[in-house]
Amino acid sequence: MGTRHVGRVAVVTGASSGIGAASALAMADAGMDLVVSARRLDRLEAVVGQVERMGRSAVALVADAAEPGLAARLLDLAQTRFGKFDVVLANAGYGLDRPMHLMSDVELRTMFEVNFFSSTHLLQEAARRLISSKRPGHLLMTSSCLSKFSMPNFGAYAATKAAQESVCRAMRFELAPYRIEVASVHPVSTTTEFFSTSARLSGTREAPIHDHAPKWFIQPPERVAKAIMRCLERPRSEVWTSRIVQASSALFTLMPSVLDTALRREASRQRGRHLGRTPDSQ
């Protein structure tokens, strides 16, 4: 990744596993120091240990992504420990395998708090501080390929990801005069805890996508991390790890009937998985 990342400081949320952990380690390998945050202390400590073995420094903050004031606490920690921050990756988020009419108001609002509002607050606060200090920076959110097209039972999740993309797109041009880059990241299905966590929260036996998704649709988190690092080298508005899925999303926009056919088949395949459930059942 060259030497221009040496001495830079990155803040990464959802860093205890998956894309967040892989990205934090890729950043450390490129010479960055880290502030990492997630809910699980043991996992965060493991990431910090790996970063330190790479010869970089890292500090962990255990917190829920939706915790009030977390954005300020994270950036305060970066500025206190390292004197600055240069890169922010708002990665924390989760999914829920649930038809929209069966989602409770609490479930829907909580998902938006974690996936959308916490990420947006972090980038807002980071932007304000960078502007105030007259420092350039790079802000990213982990969105999803589902920001472009939804799937049955993942409507709420897709909505949060589409909202993230919209915010990043606007901020990219709003902050350009201040030399602050902004990008949304659009991974496809990754071999992380995302689907097992989604299944647990949804009360389903297992995440269905791995049963039928083509192998090219399932990628390791390290592939996403490498794509993020490329974006830090050569900024762009969207980070994709699958040209096929990116092209497909464009096709779906041009020809919605193609997507309708695929989603009708998927909805039929999943029909019956949620029979007997009510919006209040957990």
Side-chain angles (χ1 to χ4, degrees), residues 9-13 70-76 78-79 84-90 118-141 171 175 178-182:
V9 177
V11 176
V12 181
T13 64
L70 178 60
R73 290 175 60 202
L74 279 169
L75 300 177
D76 284 347
Q79 292 175 312
K84 63 171 184 172
F85 63 88
D86 304 283
V87 176
V88 174
L89 173 59
S118 69
S119 296
T120 300
H121 290 160
L122 180 56
L123 263 60
Q124 287 177 308
E125 182 67 16
R128 287 190 285 261
R129 295 189 186 206
L130 288 170
I131 292 169
S132 177
S133 63
K134 296 181 171 58
R135 291 181 53 82
H138 207 135
L139 313 178
L140 306 98
M141 279 191 202
M171 291 184 75
L175 298 177
Y178 304 101
R179 298 182 299 150
I180 300 173
E181 297 285 352
V182 183

Side-chain angles (χ1 to χ4, degrees), residues 189-259:
S189 177
T190 54
T191 52
T192 68
E193 297 176 338
F194 175 88
F195 288 101
S196 60
T197 300
S198 175
R200 175 175 56 80
L201 294 173
S202 306
T204 56
R205 181 178 56 84
E206 59 184 334
I209 192 169
H210 287 164
D211 294 341
H212 63 283
K215 292 188 181 301
W216 54 261
F217 194 76
I218 303 174
Q219 301 173 342
E222 289 76 15
R223 179 163 175 173
V224 183
K226 289 179 181 178
I228 289 171
M229 296 306 300
R230 288 194 296 270
C231 180
L232 295 181
E233 289 285 341
R234 303 183 66 178
R236 66 204 72 178
S237 59
E238 295 183 1
V239 178
W240 286 81
T241 59
S242 171
R243 293 295 184 188
I244 295 175
V245 177
Q246 185 180 20
S248 297
S249 69
L251 174 64
F252 295 155
T253 299
L254 289 171
M255 303 178 64
S257 61
V258 175
L259 177 60

